Amino acid sequence: MDCSIKGFPPYGFSIVLKFGGSIMRDLAVCKLALAELERLADKGHRILLVPGGGIPDKAIEAIDAAERLDPCTAHHACALAQDQTGYLLADAAFSSKLVPSASLGECRTLARLGKIPVLLPSRLLFAADPVEWSWDVTSDAVAAWIAWLTGAPQLVILTDVDGVHRGGATDDPAALIEQIAAQDLVLLGHTSIDACAVEFMAKKSLPGVVINARHPARLADWLEGRRVRATRITVASRKAHITSDPLGGAA
């Protein structure tokens, strides 16, 4: 979404970062990753963190596997699970700069003050209802939608693997795909980033990267344009989607 229109102040986020709930399985790794985000905020990066569902989400999935839940129940419970993970990440036990908020306007203000806003997305999701009530749509897709909504130039998926691997072979370093177009990544289906998120990125021309939280310094290297062990997701430029009519105007 274009946030440079007169009367519509930009949110000004450098990146929207989806913090995978899987990272919380190792609290030491989680703390190191959050410390790196705080260091980046000190350097002037305005980060909007979107939490994954984490441990609460896995509990909901387990219940659904045993006793099939109504899609409405599962969808709303999983959105609230993202809120719960967000509150945990912003606790003083894990961080000093992370602040939870359900308001995008407040998130904008927090980022300008050098904090790292943690968006609690449930209220926004319940009000706007932008995604399908399906297990195919994960917090990756929610983060992609929020990145587009706020006009962020990049989406970061911080997770527990190095990136997207051919055949899902995450234990094979040679299988890592270092760069791929979103349009091609869609064809691989659900990988370390969900297929719905990737298709959204392709359609909205939103580039991004999948990075391993166990190596948090890679995020800074990527932000500074250095090559890192990760999967960079490219897209066609927005200008490429504009065609000309026979009179020379934009179609």
Side-chain angles (χ1 to χ4, degrees), residues 18 90 132 144 149-150 153 187 197 218 233 235:
K18 186 281 181 90
E132 182 179 316
L149 184 66
T150 59
L187 302 178
R218 291 178 183 175
I233 303 170
V235 294

Side-chain angles (χ1 to χ4, degrees), residues 49-64:
L49 191 151
V50 178
I55 297 170
D57 188 84
K58 292 303 180 185
I60 297 164
E61 285 188 31
I63 294 171
D64 180 72

Side-chain angles (χ1 to χ4, degrees), residues 128-207:
D129 197 21
V131 298
E132 182 179 316
W133 298 357
S134 165
W135 288 107
D136 291 334
V137 179
T138 73
S139 52
D140 291 348
V142 171
W145 175 69
I146 290 168
W148 168 77
L149 184 66
T150 59
Q154 299 270 8
L155 172 66
V156 175
I157 303 295
L158 196 64
T159 185
D160 60 350
V161 295
D162 284 343
V164 177
H165 292 70
R166 297 178 186 84
T170 56
D171 57 348
D172 180 4
L176 178 68
I177 301 172
E178 293 191 4
Q179 180 173 314
I180 186 170
Q183 294 87 340
D184 296 330
L185 185 52
V186 170
L187 302 178
L188 298 184
H190 186 80
T191 60
S192 49
I193 176 173
D194 86 57
C196 293
V198 175
E199 184 166 5
F200 187 89
M201 294 169 72
K203 294 291 178 63
K204 299 299 184 181
S205 297
L206 175 66

